[in-house]
Amino acid sequence: MQPRLINQVRLPGMRHVTEATGLGWAVTERDSVTVSLLDHDLRRVTRLAAPLDDPPMTVSATRRLVAAGDAHQIVVLDHDGTVRWRSSWDRLGGSAGAGAGAGAGFHLDGDHVLWIRLGDTAELVAVHGVSGTEIHRTPLPGPEAAWFMHSPEGVWTGLTLLDPSRSRAMLIRLDAERIVSRPLAGGGLAGFSPAGGRYLTQTLDGFLSVRDVASGAVITERHLEDLPGTPPSLPSCRHVDRAVFLSEKLILAALNTADLPNSAEGHLLLSALSLRCRSQVRYPHHHGSGAVHPSYRPGRWLTRHHEDDQLRLWQLGARLDDEPMPGQLALL
């Protein structure tokens, strides 16, 4: 399957890309405290400098606010750069838990609640994003590294505490200004389906699973070495860099070989009901597959290419490899 290129933008020196809730994406730079905000169509919204001491920094954003943090403090700004509030990590009770790539130790949700995972005290804190007023905090033991995930239906926020041996995932929300949580089975949380009824997990030992959010029941689960329909040219000993829902029926998995971690082997489209390989993505350029970032718009995804400082927004092609050609009948 060859996808359609919707838009591309060059951002020299980009460091991390993270989803901006309700807006699109937020992109940080390697050697500055500057963040670029891009909308769902990869159009530039604004570029602003966060009043922090030094890079690197972590950011989370919505269509109204930007939260930016470094090793010493966190600051929340409007899109025009106006500072709403700022705080040292010590005043909040300790350092923010480390992130994994773009997944930070804090997250702004669609209701402008700032969720913070404090690594020193092993607590989860909910803060009013606009005012900086603390709403509630609760003990949350476990690994320090935290990965937050936006949920399309907006009631819950996904959270994974990342551990080298076994990650712990859960759903979190506020109920009468108190934090409530619900565990999720299956390993590290990779994403939610566009309608929010299912979630995708991945484990370090190579398992992918799709589960029902309401019940936790397994819809399908497979090891990477046991994906039906995988192209024979794809080497074995694979691992997943990222797997995301593209639609209610399709998942995009970015695979690497374990012995060549810097050599991306390609992107596969998998059935969300069986994890059978439906197609291999063939990009119309020669810069490799690139790192994958999900889009809130079904059928779209973002690739990041550090070699040429490019972000590219893609749309699913019209026909997958296993679909009949026009005029042919599908095989039953």
Side-chain angles (χ1 to χ4, degrees):
M1 187 277 297
Q2 181 167 307
R4 182 164 61 96
L5 180 63
I6 301 297
N7 200 2
Q8 60 183 337
V9 62
R10 184 172 183 268
L11 292 174
M14 63 178 169
R15 179 172 178 261
H16 283 319
V17 179
T18 186
E19 297 93 324
T21 307
L23 175 68
W25 297 274
V27 185
T28 61
E29 299 178 6
R30 286 190 296 270
D31 301 318
S32 75
V33 288
T34 301
V35 56
S36 295
L37 299 180
L38 307 167
D39 70 8
H40 287 297
D41 294 316
L42 206 61
R43 297 174 301 199
R44 298 172 191 260
V45 175
T46 189
R47 184 173 182 266
L48 56 91
L52 296 174
D53 295 331
D54 49 23
M57 68 173 181
T58 301
V59 301
S60 181
T62 67
R63 64 179 63 198
R64 180 182 176 188
L65 300 175
V66 177
D70 61 13
H72 310 289
Q73 62 181 316
I74 185 170
V75 58
V76 175
L77 311 94
D78 291 327
H79 283 196
D80 63 3
T82 301
V83 175
R84 286 282 182 172
W85 59 274
R86 66 195 309 156
S87 173
S88 67
W89 292 120
D90 288 340
R91 194 172 63 152
L92 285 169
S95 65
F106 58 87
H107 170 74
L108 274 168
D109 70 14
D111 293 324
H112 295 108
V113 175
L114 179 66
W115 296 96
I116 304 172
R117 160 68 176 177
L118 292 174
D120 290 351
T121 58
E123 292 178 302
L124 179 65
V125 183
V127 177
H128 194 288
V130 176
S131 67
T133 304
E134 182 175 319
I135 302 171
H136 188 228
R137 68 173 61 205
T138 188
L140 187 61
E144 179 179 338
W147 173 276
F148 289 91
M149 184 75 62
H150 171 74
S151 172
E153 47 83 31
V155 176
W156 295 90
T157 293
L159 170 62
T160 299
L161 299 181
L162 295 155
D163 185 89
S165 58
R166 185 174 181 179
S167 296
R168 173 186 169 198
M170 67 195 72
L171 297 174
I172 57 174
R173 66 180 175 91
L174 288 175
D175 183 6
E177 297 196 335
R178 297 190 67 82
I179 297 171
V180 295
S181 64
R182 210 188 87 198
L184 292 176
L189 182 61
F192 296 93
S193 63
R198 291 173 292 160
Y199 68 96
L200 176 67
T201 65
Q202 60 188 82
T203 64
L204 289 177
D205 56 354
F207 281 93
L208 290 175
S209 70
V210 179
R211 297 171 184 256
D212 181 79
V213 170
S215 66
V218 177
I219 296 170
T220 182
E221 183 176 33
R222 290 187 182 274
H223 194 273
L224 290 175
E225 299 296 332
D226 186 33
L227 300 178
T230 301
S233 59
L234 202 67
S236 59
C237 303
R238 301 181 290 268
H239 70 274
V240 175
D241 278 346
R242 190 78 185 267
V244 299
F245 271 98
L246 293 187
S247 68
E248 291 296 318
K249 296 182 178 180
L250 290 173
I251 289 168
L252 176 67
L255 304 183
N256 277 3
T257 54
D259 55 340
L260 295 172
N262 297 319
S263 177
E265 293 296 339
H267 296 167
L268 300 181
L269 291 177
L270 308 177
S271 165
L273 297 177
S274 66
L275 291 178
R276 176 175 63 87
C277 181
R278 298 285 311 277
S279 192
Q280 187 166 11
V281 182
R282 294 176 289 275
Y283 293 97
H285 59 71
H286 303 288
H287 301 287
S289 299
V292 169
H293 299 275
S295 170
Y296 296 143
R297 292 190 172 176
R300 291 186 175 189
W301 70 98
L302 196 68
T303 58
R304 182 183 80 247
H305 303 265
H306 281 298
E307 310 82 31
D308 56 1
D309 293 316
Q310 291 279 354
L311 291 172
R312 294 182 172 94
L313 179 63
W314 303 95
Q315 175 75 44
L316 279 172
R319 197 183 74 84
L320 304 182
D321 292 350
D322 64 349
E323 291 180 341
M325 296 293 291
Q328 288 182 327
L329 297 177
L331 296 176
L332 300 178

